[in-house]
Amino acid sequence: MTHPITAQRVAGRVGIYFAAIVLAIYSAFPIYWMIVSSLRPTQELLMEPTLWPERWTFEYYRSLLAQTDYPRQFLNSLIVAVTTVVLTMILSVMIAYGVTRQRIRGKQMIIAGMLYAYMFPPLLLAIPLYSMMTFIGLNNTLLSLVISHLTITMPLGVWFLWGFFKTMPFELEEAAMVDGCTRLGAFLRVVLPLTAPGLVTVAIFAFLLSWTDYTFALVMISSDANKTVPLGLASMIGAFDLRWGDVMAGSTLIAMPLFAAFIALSRYFVQGLTAGAVKG
């Protein structure tokens, strides 16, 4: 009886590993192709692409950085993404903690309403937001883009952190206040460190959504000086001029900060996802 069971277990594990490898290759191959294509010569890129380039070149990166506005667009994207992350974390922590710890009527409706707002597609929100920004004089500014991104990142952050605060025992804060901490001190010294995985997860999601946004940037930004990287790369693809090499190099440079963030914070990211799934 032990042999069939052992064989079934081995077959099951082999099947799981095989499925995982296929899924990993399927997910990673477009990224690999993007990076490799940014290092191919033009003729090989357009005429005879292979899995492994015969020759390597950095001409696309040199032309991208020297002959386009990519450095300025990269800086604009970085300013918008970092500002969005900081504001998302501050506002999400304040709202989620306040709704969880304070007696607020209809707080379930508040949380549900924010999650419902997150479900709206960006294009549906972009047009009324553009009208509002034009009315108050903030159209075609990076600030308008930050505010637009907050409509997507903040509801997600509040919903995620609410799951952490909701199941965190209030006795922890009471014990800290008995020892002499104020309410704010107990929050900063006890509660906030315990929610570090959730904060990292919210920061990564907010940075990802802001860094790769195209819809809000397309509607809000009209001048070349304020374009972000996704908008700048899209403008390189014209009807008669397809600069695929530059586009691949620019896309690779876009992905590098995301790779660095995931590598540096992957441990906290996984903890935040698993804890949020259990606590939420």
Side-chain angles (χ1 to χ4, degrees):
M1 294 298 293
T2 58
H3 295 289
I5 295 177
T6 303
Q8 290 178 0
R9 290 180 178 178
V10 172
R13 289 185 178 182
V14 171
I16 292 175
Y17 287 137
F18 178 77
I21 292 173
V22 171
L23 183 60
I25 294 175
Y26 176 79
S27 302
F29 183 77
I31 301 175
Y32 166 79
W33 192 259
M34 174 188 69
I35 297 174
V36 169
S37 297
S38 69
L39 299 171
R40 300 178 188 272
T42 304
Q43 183 177 2
E44 185 179 347
L45 174 63
L46 299 178
M47 301 297 295
E48 300 175 355
T50 56
L51 287 176
W52 189 259
E54 297 179 0
R55 294 188 298 114
W56 302 85
T57 180
F58 290 93
E59 59 176 315
Y60 303 130
Y61 292 93
R62 287 193 292 265
S63 65
L64 183 71
L65 298 176
Q67 301 177 13
T68 67
D69 293 331
Y70 189 89
R72 178 63 183 176
Q73 295 164 2
F74 192 94
L75 180 61
N76 290 340
S77 292
L78 187 62
I79 292 173
V80 171
V82 171
T83 306
T84 301
V85 169
V86 172
L87 292 178
T88 298
M89 294 180 68
I90 293 175
L91 296 176
S92 298
V93 167
M94 293 174 60
I95 296 173
Y97 183 79
V99 169
T100 306
R101 291 295 189 257
Q102 302 297 324
R103 295 182 178 179
I104 301 176
R105 292 184 178 181
K107 59 182 180 181
Q108 294 288 346
M109 295 182 61
I110 295 175
I111 297 297
M114 298 199 72
L115 182 63
Y116 181 71
Y118 174 73
M119 296 179 182
F120 279 94
L123 188 59
L124 192 63
L125 300 174
I127 304 302
L129 281 172
Y130 176 77
S131 300
M132 294 171 56
M133 297 303 161
T134 303
F135 179 76
I136 62 179
L138 290 179
N139 59 309
N140 192 31
T141 62
L142 297 181
L143 180 58
S144 67
L145 206 52
V146 171
I147 296 174
S148 301
H149 290 171
L150 287 176
T151 62
I152 301 297
T153 60
M154 194 172 66
L156 178 64
V158 171
W159 176 264
F160 200 87
L161 293 176
W162 178 64
F164 278 85
F165 293 138
K166 184 176 63 174
T167 56
M168 190 172 296
F170 184 65
E171 287 76 11
L172 295 175
E173 298 163 73
E174 289 181 335
M177 287 187 284
V178 168
D179 291 338
C181 288
T182 62
R183 184 66 177 269
L184 179 60
F187 171 75
L188 294 177
R189 296 181 181 181
V190 178
V191 178
L192 207 58
L194 293 177
T195 58
L199 293 175
V200 171
T201 305
V202 170
I204 291 178
F205 273 117
F207 186 85
L208 177 64
L209 292 172
S210 180
W211 184 257
T212 60
D213 169 68
Y214 175 76
T215 303
F216 285 121
L218 179 64
V219 175
M220 297 292 174
I221 304 300
S222 58
S223 64
D224 293 336
N226 290 330
K227 281 185 177 180
T228 55
V229 171
L231 199 59
L233 289 180
S235 64
M236 294 182 184
I237 304 176
F240 304 100
D241 184 18
L242 299 177
R243 302 165 58 183
W244 288 116
D246 292 354
V247 172
M248 291 297 177
S251 301
T252 301
L253 292 178
I254 288 179
M256 289 306 168
L258 300 179
F259 292 156
F262 276 111
I263 291 173
L265 303 173
S266 59
R267 179 167 61 91
Y268 300 99
F269 182 66
V270 173
Q271 289 179 1
L273 284 179
T274 54
V278 174
K279 295 179 180 181

